[in-house]
Structure formats: structure tokens, C-alpha cells
Amino acid sequence: MTALPVSRLTVLRAHRLTARRAMRLLQLHALTGIHLTLVCHRPHLPAALQQALRTADYSVTADFEAARRHYYGTPIAEPPPADEPARPAIRWLTLPALDRLISYDSPRPCAAPCMPTPIVFRHRTPPAPLTPHTAQRVAHRLHGASAHPRLAAALATALFTGASLQQLATARPRDYDDAAATLALHDRTRYTDGCAAYPVPPWAHVFLRAAACFARLISGQDTELLAAPGDRAHLLRLAETARLRPPQPPAARRTGPAGRVEWDWRERQEAKRYEAMLAVRARPSRG
């Protein structure tokens, strides 16, 4: 809400809220300054809501037109909504930048102060920037697939860095510079291209800002900015919910059931080529 920024939140069926959940909404209102509207589908406020509202500054209206004026301001004539056509099923977006999301590398965060320099891709191909149209589609899907700021930011970051989950987990709140629009990822043992700062494309700013806000709320500078190493299943589930996937193997080379995303296909191919190369080197030479 802070990063977008969202200025209004309307909760329907608010008469079903417990006192605890109503208090959480009021805390959210106090934290963000959001315009909070609770709609109760009952003639009187329930006891749980009355209890939560004891210390809040609020107004109650049971008149529909008064509620409209409170919410919208001056009433305007609105045409009746037209019937919306059925939407087609969301198709997969196949994105090569996700090839390394599930990787065998294992970088760790830097314990000592680190000043990463701008990324220079020496050991891997830089991910191709998303076209404006694709970036818009990706951002829309991430907003709709999850409200969790860390996971959404992690998946967005994977798309502009080409980094693995393990390397995404090295980022801390101090590694994101909103003013410079850069994000540092760490890799002191140089599994990939070492500790480096990546430029954050405009479409991804909102996700990084939200993750930074979230990190400040929970525990400060020592927590993960993006997904933690144990978030692998959650991150893949988010990607599949948003219908985002890496390139898939041909049908004849699939190892899993049809329709299931194979996240480690590229890694398995590289491992097989490496094993074949070692086998050739180990063969005795003929004199």
C-alpha cells in the first residue's frame, strides 16, 4: 500500500470481522493513513466491531446516499455497468531469465561490509530486458497473484538479474538503493559473477520498495529483503499462479507429467554435459 501508493481500502461484510482482525485493520489505517471504509451488512454494529472502534475516530452512516457522498464526494450520474465478456484463460509467459531460479549454486550473504560494483556478466549471459508490453503483463500478474511483498519482489528481481533463489536470499534491506535504482546481490565465493549491483528497471521499482517497507516493519537490516532459502516452494507456487515459467523441454524429453513446470531442466542439461566432459577427460589415452 505504501509503495503503490494505495489510498483507499474498502472491506465488505465487515460485520463478520473478529475484534482482533478489526484492530489489525485500524492499525493498518494508522500506519499508512489509508482511507478505511468498513461496510456492515447488518442494521447495527456487532459487538466485536464496537469494541475495536472504541479508541478510533470514525463516523457511521446508514443512509446509502450519504455513504456515496462520503466515499465519492459529489454524486455523479453513472451508466449501468455493461456485462463483461468472459475472459480467456491466462496463457503462460515463458521467460528465459527464470532459467536459473532453481540452480545448484550456493552463494551466501556477506558478513563483513561490502561495496559491490556494477554487474559485469563474465560467467553467464545477461538476462534480456523485458519489452515494455511484457513488463506490464508481468507486473500486472505479480500484483494479482500475491500480496506478499517479499515473494513478489523476489520473483521480479529474478527477471531482471537472472539470479538463483540462493543468490536472491543474500540481499538485505541496505542492499536496495531506491534513489540510485540499484540492488546488490552477494557472491563472495564467485559461484556466478561475484558481489554486484544490478540496475532496477522502472517496472520493478514498486516491488522492491514494498519489500523494503516490509523489511523495516518486521526486523530491520539483518533480515532478508527478498525470499529466504526456505521459501523455494512458496516462490515457485507464486510463479506458477502468475503463469510465469522458464523455457520448457521438448515433449519427448520431459521427465514429469504433462502440464507440470520443470524448473530445473536447464540445470540438469548442464550437469549432464559436465559429467560427459569429465568422462571424456578420464578416459586413458591410446599410444
Side-chain angles (χ1 to χ4, degrees), residues 71-92:
Y71 195 81
Y72 294 108
T74 304
I76 58 173
E78 296 180 355
D83 292 336
E84 293 187 2
R87 296 183 179 180
I90 300 177
R91 295 189 176 187
W92 286 100

Side-chain angles (χ1 to χ4, degrees), residues 11 14-29 36 38 46-54:
V11 181
H15 58 277
R16 301 182 66 178
L17 292 171
T18 63
R20 178 177 176 274
R21 290 179 175 176
M23 285 299 302
R24 294 294 297 274
L25 284 170
L26 294 176
Q27 291 167 358
L28 179 66
H29 163 71
L36 178 63
L38 304 178
L49 196 53
Q50 288 181 352
Q51 177 184 347
L53 290 171
R54 283 177 182 173

Side-chain angles (χ1 to χ4, degrees), residues 34-285:
I34 199 167
H35 183 128
L36 178 63
T37 301
L38 304 178
V39 182
C40 294
H41 304 259
R42 293 292 184 274
H44 304 288
L45 294 182
L49 196 53
Q50 288 181 352
Q51 177 184 347
L53 290 171
R54 283 177 182 173
T55 59
D57 181 14
Y58 69 98
S59 61
V60 177
T61 181
D63 180 76
F64 183 73
E65 289 304 324
R68 284 180 61 88
R69 287 192 298 271
H70 173 73
Y71 195 81
Y72 294 108
T74 304
I76 58 173
E78 296 180 355
D83 292 336
E84 293 187 2
R87 296 183 179 180
I90 300 177
R91 295 189 176 187
W92 286 100
L93 280 179
T94 299
L95 303 166
L98 294 178
D99 258 338
R100 290 187 177 272
L101 185 60
I102 299 304
S103 176
Y104 301 146
D105 63 27
S106 56
R108 295 182 180 181
C110 292
C114 178
M115 298 294 291
T117 56
I119 179 65
V120 177
F121 290 92
R122 296 186 179 92
H123 304 295
R124 55 192 172 112
T125 305
L130 302 183
T131 65
H133 177 64
T134 300
Q136 184 180 27
R137 295 170 68 190
V138 166
H140 179 73
R141 293 187 183 193
L142 289 180
H143 283 306
S146 175
H148 199 298
R150 277 177 49 198
L151 293 179
L155 194 51
T157 301
L159 291 172
F160 68 81
T161 62
S164 67
L165 171 61
Q166 292 93 323
Q167 193 171 21
L168 294 175
T170 66
R172 297 295 182 265
R174 58 180 171 270
D175 292 317
Y176 173 58
D177 188 332
D178 189 35
T182 59
L183 173 69
L185 299 179
H186 300 273
D187 179 20
R188 292 187 71 86
T189 52
R190 303 190 71 83
Y191 278 93
T192 54
D193 290 299
C195 302
Y198 297 76
V200 180
W203 67 267
H205 284 182
V206 65
F207 298 105
L208 271 298
R209 287 173 188 152
C213 289
F214 184 72
R216 288 194 295 269
L217 287 174
I218 52 175
S219 56
Q221 293 296 315
D222 292 328
T223 188
E224 291 90 355
L225 174 67
L226 308 173
D231 287 332
R232 171 174 169 167
H234 302 299
L235 191 61
L236 298 188
R237 189 178 304 117
L238 168 59
E240 293 182 17
T241 300
R243 306 287 280 180
L244 307 176
R245 66 181 181 183
Q248 296 296 286
R253 301 175 67 180
R254 293 189 63 88
T255 59
R260 190 178 74 182
V261 178
E262 294 196 19
W263 286 96
D264 63 344
W265 178 63
R266 188 201 61 79
E267 287 288 323
R268 287 189 281 107
Q269 295 307 302
E270 286 194 359
K272 289 178 181 178
R273 286 195 292 269
Y274 182 69
E275 290 173 358
M277 180 183 67
L278 292 179
V280 169
R281 291 180 177 179
R283 290 175 185 171
S285 59

